[in-house]
Amino acid sequence: MRIAIIDADLIGRKHHRFPNLACMKLSGYWKGQGADVVLKTDFTGLSKFDQVFISKVFTDTPVPEDVLSLPNVQHGGTGFFYDKAAPLPDEAEHHRPDYHLSDPWVERQLSAGGKARDLIYYTDYSIGFLTRGCFRKCSFCVNQNHDRVFAHSPLSEFFDPERPKICLLDDNFLGHSNWKGLLTDLQQTQRPFQFKQGLDERLLTDKKCAALFSSRYDGDFIFAFDDAADAALIEQKLQLARKHTNAVLKFYCFCGYDRAGAWDADFWKRDIFELLFRIAMLMRYRCLPYVMRYARYSESPYRGMYITLARWCNQPSFFKKKSLWEFAESNGRNSACFRYVDEFAAQFPEVLPFYTMKFK
Ligand code: SF4
């Protein structure tokens, strides 16, 4: 049996450097059945295989339509079906991922001058979901199918002792009733671990802070501050977190998405101000914002402000040293960046206090 597995994001997204977990599980399952499995990195010659599986995570990753209608091809994943994506069959879903599926591709990248540090998720991490699901149902999120967080895989299902680190893809880990037991399992591996999708800061408690911030964590603790309406709760939990850690905490700050669905002039102005308000609060607690823009930001009359705020915040080396004004000026007074912030201030002078705030 000859099986080809295609991670379409790897083919269609130039800078994509994260393995597709479904592809690794399918590979593990089919190799376990004695099949000859390869990771295919183009869409040619597929008729030579008995079965071809194509997966993608991102909806805008291109895949040739004619390939999808071939009789030996099956496709799946959120990139094709968003929240209606069917799960893998249980025997594949709960199979240990094949962490070596991408080895030949990784070798080719390295031989072509690729940097090992850009490929660490392929080489260094055990990857999986301890829990899945989320009860919050944010309208912009793919997680719409469950009302709770539930156990998904025991750590032993995807932990590879040969790999030095662990990457968790859980949707809302802190919302699971057994968060403590699962954290203990992670700690017992003595491997640094990270929650790649961020954690729900609004669910922090003294006990969660004590367990989480004393863990051997891999990289920055990442949370989300997606809605300025949560400001009071986010601030209360920041004060709690600061009793336990001085580490720089990172927060995804989602913007450009109108929950009321209007996307009118009022919204675009308010959204920029609310984003600056969130950035200001995070700065006060020595936290780093990471601006994530919903695709429709490009329709905003203040599109340039979104771009500038993302460039400023998402590069901590700038954000930690320069106010927004200083950042814009460092781009040159003739730059588009300076023009965007200057024009916005001319139109809305009340924004100026946000332009001079600095990370301390
Ligand atoms: S809290 Fe996070 S995972 Fe849950 S629905 Fe909202 S964005 Fe999605």
Side-chain angles (χ1 to χ4, degrees), residues 9-55:
D9 298 313
L10 191 62
I11 300 174
R13 307 181 84 83
K14 204 168 161 207
H15 300 295
H16 183 72
R17 291 289 177 270
F18 194 86
N20 180 305
L21 184 57
C23 288
M24 291 196 294
K25 288 179 176 180
L26 280 167
S27 176
Y29 170 75
W30 280 103
K31 281 184 181 173
Q33 301 297 305
D36 178 13
V37 180
V38 293
L39 179 75
K40 193 98 173 57
T41 51
D42 57 40
F43 294 104
T44 62
L46 300 185
S47 59
K48 291 186 215 136
F49 295 90
D50 298 298
Q51 186 73 62
V52 178
F53 296 103
I54 304 177
S55 175

Side-chain angles (χ1 to χ4, degrees), residues 134-138 140-141 143 171-172 200 202 226:
C134 180
F135 53 90
R136 293 206 186 269
K137 306 229 169 133
C138 304
F140 52 81
C141 178
N143 262 302
D171 309 305
N172 194 343
D200 191 339
R202 294 163 293 183
D226 288 333

